[in-house]
Amino acid sequence: MRHLGVLRGSGRLECKGEALGRADYELDGYLVRQGEIAASGEIHMEAGALAEAFGRNGLVLRTDDGLALSIRFSGKRLPPSSTVAHADVREGLPAEIAWRRRGYPEP
């Protein structure tokens, strides 16, 4: 597994086309094996919106720079006042070469 860099930015979290709220994200990308990229990191949202999204299937983060990231929260429980949750991404990530071209920097 090789670290490719970090995706940071903002976007809109949706579930099956329904907007749940604005979100900021910071995701570390990894080349798992040739042609397979995964990412994990933090999603930051207003507490009520995050609580509504947490545990749902079919979440997509539509980033302001045009990506549609399939999001799955990895925790089992979320405190009601929490504004941050850990998430994993397996679909919608840039290809390996794009991480280099777009210059997603290491932290």
Side-chain angles (χ1 to χ4, degrees):
M1 187 179 309
R2 184 168 53 91
H3 188 256
L4 298 173
V6 178
L7 288 176
R8 290 183 186 88
S10 298
R12 184 181 70 225
L13 191 63
E14 300 177 351
C15 183
K16 300 176 184 169
E18 174 192 353
L20 300 176
R22 295 286 300 167
D24 295 320
Y25 61 91
E26 185 168 323
L27 304 167
D28 286 291
Y30 297 91
L31 180 64
V32 179
R33 62 180 139 273
Q34 189 63 33
E36 184 180 348
I37 295 175
S40 64
E42 294 183 340
I43 304 292
H44 298 259
M45 294 181 75
E46 183 273 324
L50 185 58
E52 184 179 341
F54 194 83
R56 286 192 180 194
N57 293 318
L59 293 170
V60 174
L61 178 60
R62 298 204 181 274
T63 70
D64 292 345
D65 62 352
L67 299 175
L69 305 174
S70 178
I71 299 289
R72 187 189 68 188
F73 290 112
S74 52
K76 295 201 184 309
R77 289 185 293 160
L78 182 74
S81 61
S82 183
T83 60
V84 61
H86 189 271
D88 297 314
V89 182
R90 288 282 187 170
E91 297 177 13
L93 292 162
E96 178 185 3
I97 195 164
W99 289 78
R100 292 190 300 263
R101 282 189 190 148
R102 293 178 73 173
Y104 299 121
E106 302 260 348

